[in-house]
């Protein structure tokens, strides 16, 4: 390799590593603001700290970082890439491809995983920003009445800025977050000398002894300990943007050492000064540094929130492509970065939900109870899907796959049980959101399947229609017409109605079938397949990956088809709820409501509106 090329390659690797620090590790990097504090509050029950509590909780946090983040996610889960992409939908696609027709339950697991991700995405910005702004109370108690308004103003401004994209500011995310980790490490390192014995927390016996000796309080503390690993899913979800190597390098070289030093420093300080339990993170720093640290923490939490919001857009796009959600308008916010997208409807729904939980809970401590269930549930789903991938895709024996995955699943189920104790104290929020979203996704998928069956039942086979059209006396008009269909073997409804009511047929007719593959992106050479039926009819299959924004005219033009004078005929469906179909009436009505919110096919597939002809059809569901 030439020296210049090798240098460019190394430069690109370190640039990706620095970028991953800002985007991938923003969430887990803000956990020290509240994780140890909430864990010790749960352990002590307000009755004062003991040395055993501090050692036990710090030990549990360190080993959660080692076992869950390092071993499970960094070393194992990140091997399960789908053409370089990660995240729950990618894992679902891998598992479903491996199981084939018998993998229907994998879709259900995927729905639950996506729904819990949304719960996490709502709580993360709220708890992160609140915990940072609460540091103002240490600067002066006069700020206390303004914590909530300032937090809301920051969050509203953050969501309002989403439509402009993050391409410009994202270049600063990495350096700022890297500086944040360095400052966290220095803050912790400066206090380890308060009680060097805290280094003994690396012995897992302290964590085990704490759990065995504290009963329900130990379980409550364990639920709060899991706050230290929130954001671990981002390592896998953002793998496609940065690559496995840079993400792993950033974790071992900077993130893990900084987190460990900070937690150890907080623990040592609390052993020497138990009265600082109210906000041990900010009290690591001298009084003159409090205000700068609050400002830096606020910036860090904004970056962490931005990463979660961007991830929500990406997950939503993948869910739409996989048929789990209705079509929604997706906008590109960067000409060069594929991952830079904006979904207006999701953005504003998310903002409303975030504002709701901030106003409802009012403090980061109250929100902490709601946080763990969404994250632990999502991790349990990931472990379950990972077993299938290890067994069927990596070709491990079932025994080996169970031996490797079962310990992580067991640990996460224990964490999930611990968080379930907080169900009445806020844990119901992500579960309610998740249940509503799973119901909506299941209804959408089931309803879409019933409509496809009904359409197929009504339709004339395409081969029969083309034969009739070739021998019939229907008037021919010049030009090319494209008819979209979800069932390529059947005659599109718009084509049948056009012939029936207008009694005309174009000289050339394309039967367009759009397929979403279970891979992130489809190579251009495999994008279009054209099968000629007769001189007047051709079947055209257009393939997109589940990470791609479908642009139908561009795809057709890339295949050499003349799209300049092409007319697109679409069916506008009018849905009517019916007790005679396969779903209860309430579910029919929910499906109709979801369909009403869906973006028009013309906008979703980027078809120019002046080239679209819509023909109505009523369907009972």
């Amino acid at each position: 390799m030439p020296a210049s090329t090798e240098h460019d390659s190394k430069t690109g690797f370190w640039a990706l590593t620095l970028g991953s620090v800002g985007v991938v590790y923003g969430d887990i990097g803000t956990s020290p603001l509240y994780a140890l504090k909430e864990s010790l509050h749960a352990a002590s029950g307000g009755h004062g700290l003991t040395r055993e509590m501090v050692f036990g909780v710090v030990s549990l946090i360190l080993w959660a970082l080692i076992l869950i983040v390092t071993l499970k996610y960094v070393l194992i889960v990140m091997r399960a890439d789908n053409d370089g992409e990660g995240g729950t939908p990618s894992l679902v696609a891998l598992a479903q491809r491996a199981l084939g027709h018998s993998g229907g339950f994998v879709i259900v697991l995927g729905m639950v995983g996506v729904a819990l991700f949304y719960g996490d995405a709502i709580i993360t910005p709220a708890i992160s920003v609140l915990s940072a702004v609460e540091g103002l109370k240490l600067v002066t108690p006069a700020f206390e009445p303004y914590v909530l308004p300032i937090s809301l103003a920051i969050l509203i401004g953050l969501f309002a800025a989403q439509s402009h994209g993050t391409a410009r500011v994202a270049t600063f995310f990495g350096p700022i977050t890297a500086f944040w980790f360095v400052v966290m490490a220095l803050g912790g390192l400066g206090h380890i000398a308060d009680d060097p014995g805290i280094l003994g927390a690396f012995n897992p016996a302290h964590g085990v002894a704490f759990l065995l000796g504290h009963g329900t309080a130990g379980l409550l503390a364990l639920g709060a300990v899991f706050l230290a690993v929130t954001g671990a899913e981002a390592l896998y979800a953002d793998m496609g943007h940065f690559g496995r190597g840079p993400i792993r390098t950033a974790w071992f070289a900077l993130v893990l050492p900084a987190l460990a030093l900070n937690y150890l420093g907080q623990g040592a300080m609390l052993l020497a000064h138990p009265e600082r339990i109210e906000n041990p993170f900010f009290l690591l720093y001298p009084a003159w540094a409090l205000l700068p640290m609050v400002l830096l923490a606020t910036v860090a939490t904004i970056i962490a929130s931005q990463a979660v919001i961007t991830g929500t857009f990406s997950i939503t796009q993948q869910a739409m492509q996989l048929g789990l959600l209705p079509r929604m308008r997706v906008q590109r916010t960067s000409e060069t970065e594929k991952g830079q997208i904006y979904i207006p409807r999701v953005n504003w729904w998310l903002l409303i939900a975030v504002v709701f939980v901030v106003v409802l809970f009012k403090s980061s401590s109250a929100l902490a109870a709601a946080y763990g269930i969404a994250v632990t549930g999502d991790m349990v789903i990931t472990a379950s899907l990972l077993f299938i991938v290890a067994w069927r895709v990596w070709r491990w024996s079932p025994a080996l796959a169970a031996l490797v995955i079962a310990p992580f699943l067991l640990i996460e189920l224990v964490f999930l049980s611990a968080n379930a104790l907080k169900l009445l104290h806020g844990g119901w929020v992500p579960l309610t959101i998740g249940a509503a979203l799973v119901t909506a996704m299941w209804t959408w998928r089931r309803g879409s399947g019933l409509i496809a069956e009904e359409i197929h039942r009504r339709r004339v086979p395409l081969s029969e229609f083309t034969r009739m059209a070739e021998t019939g006396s229907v008037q021919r008009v010049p030009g090319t017409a494209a008819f979209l269909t979800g069932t390529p073997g059947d005659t599109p409804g718009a084509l049948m109605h056009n012939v029936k009511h207008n009694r005309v047929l174009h000289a050339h007719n394309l039967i367009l079938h759009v397929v979403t593959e279970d891979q992130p992106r489809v190579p251009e050479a495999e994008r279009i397949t054209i099968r000629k039926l007769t001189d007047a009819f051709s079947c055209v299959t257009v393939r997109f990956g589940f990470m791609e924004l479908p642009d139908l005219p561009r795809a057709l033009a890339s295949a050499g088809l003349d799209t300049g004078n092409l007319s697109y005929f679409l069916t506008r469906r009018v849905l009517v709820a019916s007790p005679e179909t396969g779903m209860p009436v309430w579910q029919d009505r929910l499906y109709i409501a979801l369909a009403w919110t869906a973006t028009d096919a013309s906008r979703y597939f980027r078809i120019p509106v002046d080239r679209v002809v819509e023909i109505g059809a009523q369907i009972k569901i």
Side-chain angles (χ1 to χ4, degrees):
M1 180 185 291
S4 60
T5 305
E6 186 176 352
H7 178 266
D8 291 343
S9 176
K10 289 181 178 178
T11 302
F13 177 86
W14 289 112
L16 286 170
T17 301
L18 183 60
S20 73
V21 172
V23 176
V24 175
Y25 295 111
D27 188 2
I28 200 170
T30 56
S31 295
L33 285 166
Y34 47 81
L36 184 63
K37 176 183 73 172
E38 298 305 330
S39 300
L40 289 172
H41 273 307
S44 65
H47 299 300
L49 295 181
T50 66
R51 194 172 181 84
E52 183 189 7
M53 284 179 192
V54 175
F55 269 90
V57 169
V58 173
S59 180
L60 288 171
I61 288 176
L62 292 174
W63 280 96
L65 291 171
I66 293 168
L67 294 175
I68 301 297
V69 185
T70 307
L71 287 181
K72 180 187 172 185
Y73 280 92
V74 175
L75 297 179
I76 298 177
V77 174
M78 288 183 68
R79 292 188 60 215
D81 68 302
N82 190 351
D83 291 341
E85 296 292 341
T88 300
S90 290
L91 202 55
V92 168
L94 279 173
Q96 194 176 28
R97 187 192 307 168
L99 293 175
H101 294 299
S102 62
F105 74 97
V106 169
I107 288 291
V108 177
L109 286 177
M111 289 178 185
V112 176
V114 169
L116 290 173
F117 181 89
Y118 278 106
D120 183 12
I122 290 167
I123 299 173
T124 292
I127 193 172
S128 299
V129 173
L130 267 173
S131 60
V133 178
E134 282 168 354
L136 289 172
K137 294 188 290 186
L138 297 176
V139 178
T140 168
F143 276 118
E144 185 163 359
Y146 303 103
V147 167
L148 203 61
I150 291 172
S151 299
L152 288 172
I154 290 171
L155 289 166
I156 291 170
L158 176 64
F159 280 94
Q162 292 304 309
S163 60
H164 300 290
T166 59
R168 293 181 182 176
V169 294
T171 54
F172 300 103
F173 283 5
I176 292 172
T177 310
F179 180 65
W180 166 252
F181 279 113
V182 170
V183 171
M184 277 202 304
L186 292 175
L189 191 61
H191 280 274
I192 289 178
D194 291 357
D195 193 326
I198 193 65
L199 295 174
F202 277 110
N203 182 351
H206 287 290
V208 174
F210 168 76
L211 288 177
L212 294 177
H214 285 76
T216 303
L219 276 178
L220 287 170
L222 188 64
V225 162
F226 209 78
L227 296 171
V229 297
T230 57
E233 285 283 324
L235 277 74
Y236 182 47
D238 288 310
M239 186 166 60
H241 296 291
F242 299 99
R244 187 184 297 122
I247 291 175
R248 284 177 171 170
T249 301
W251 175 253
F252 287 111
L254 175 63
V255 179
L256 179 58
L259 291 172
L261 285 171
N262 190 270
Y263 286 121
L264 288 167
Q266 287 188 54
M269 182 187 69
L270 290 173
L271 288 173
H273 306 282
E275 71 279 1
R276 297 186 180 182
I277 183 59
E278 197 56 38
N279 207 321
F281 178 86
F282 284 111
L283 292 175
L284 287 174
Y285 302 92
W288 61 264
L290 272 180
L291 186 57
M293 278 305 300
V294 171
L295 295 175
L296 179 60
T298 303
V299 173
T301 56
I302 289 172
I303 292 173
S305 301
Q306 177 61 61
V308 171
I309 295 167
T310 303
T312 306
F313 294 154
S314 178
I315 289 290
T316 302
Q317 179 197 349
Q318 295 179 43
M320 287 190 295
Q321 289 286 70
L322 292 173
L324 301 181
L325 289 172
R327 293 188 301 259
M328 287 178 262
R329 186 162 60 97
V330 180
Q331 299 175 1
R332 285 193 182 276
T333 57
S334 171
E335 293 295 326
T336 56
E337 297 294 325
K338 290 181 179 179
Q340 294 289 333
I341 61 172
Y342 170 64
I343 305 178
R345 192 175 299 162
V346 171
N347 186 64
W348 300 120
W349 284 350
L350 208 55
L351 172 60
I352 291 168
V354 169
V355 169
F356 171 75
V357 298
V358 169
V359 173
L360 179 67
F361 290 96
K362 295 183 174 58
S363 73
S364 60
S365 293
L367 261 172
Y371 203 8
I373 288 183
V375 180
T376 50
D378 204 10
M379 289 184 173
V380 167
I381 296 295
T382 298
S384 303
L385 292 170
L386 186 64
F387 171 79
I388 298 170
V389 171
W391 170 32
R392 301 299 290 268
V393 179
W394 298 344
R395 301 297 180 188
W396 292 6
S397 69
L400 177 61
L403 187 65
V404 173
I405 308 302
F408 299 116
L409 187 58
L410 180 62
I411 292 170
E412 286 160 359
L413 285 172
V414 171
F415 275 117
L416 184 61
S417 302
N419 278 287
L421 296 174
K422 306 174 188 175
L423 193 61
L424 299 179
H425 301 282
W428 60 269
V429 173
L431 288 185
T432 302
I433 293 168
L437 285 168
V438 168
T439 301
M441 285 187 280
W442 176 256
T443 299
W444 181 255
R445 186 172 175 85
R446 176 66 178 141
S448 298
L450 289 172
I451 285 179
E453 291 173 9
E454 176 64 14
I455 289 172
H456 177 69
R457 188 182 64 79
R458 291 185 183 187
R459 295 275 172 86
V460 175
L462 185 58
S463 56
E464 183 180 330
F465 180 86
T466 53
R467 211 167 37 246
M468 291 165 51
E470 290 291 327
T471 58
S473 57
V474 179
Q475 182 181 349
R476 297 297 181 94
V477 295
T480 304
F483 300 88
L484 266 70
T485 180
T487 50
D490 299 328
T491 306
L495 175 56
M496 292 180 63
H497 288 292
N498 188 46
V499 171
K500 180 179 179 181
H501 297 291
N502 297 328
R503 300 189 181 281
V504 295
L505 193 64
H506 285 72
H508 301 286
N509 300 273
L510 304 179
I511 312 301
L512 293 181
H513 179 46
V514 179
V515 177
T516 300
E517 300 287 356
D518 58 0
Q519 62 191 71
R521 293 179 179 85
V522 172
E524 286 300 323
E526 301 172 14
R527 177 84 61 201
I528 300 280
T529 302
I530 302 175
R531 181 167 58 92
K532 191 170 182 179
L533 302 177
T534 67
D535 290 338
F537 290 92
S538 296
C539 277
V540 180
T541 302
V542 187
R543 297 177 179 84
F544 295 102
F546 60 77
M547 288 287 289
E548 295 181 289
L549 296 177
D551 188 329
L552 200 48
R554 183 177 178 182
L556 294 175
S558 69
L561 295 171
D562 181 13
T563 59
N565 297 313
L566 187 62
S567 297
Y568 296 85
F569 286 76
L570 309 178
T571 302
R572 168 73 70 173
R573 294 170 185 151
V574 178
L575 303 176
V576 179
S578 170
E580 301 167 4
T581 56
M583 295 195 301
V585 172
W586 70 266
Q587 211 168 6
D588 291 340
R589 289 173 179 158
L590 175 58
Y591 181 86
I592 291 169
L594 290 170
W596 185 80
T597 65
T599 299
D600 292 339
S602 56
R603 296 183 71 180
Y604 184 73
F605 290 117
R606 307 294 194 277
I607 302 172
V609 292
D610 58 345
R611 311 299 305 172
V612 174
V613 179
E614 290 189 338
I615 297 175
Q618 187 181 86
I619 298 177
K620 288 184 178 182
I621 181 173

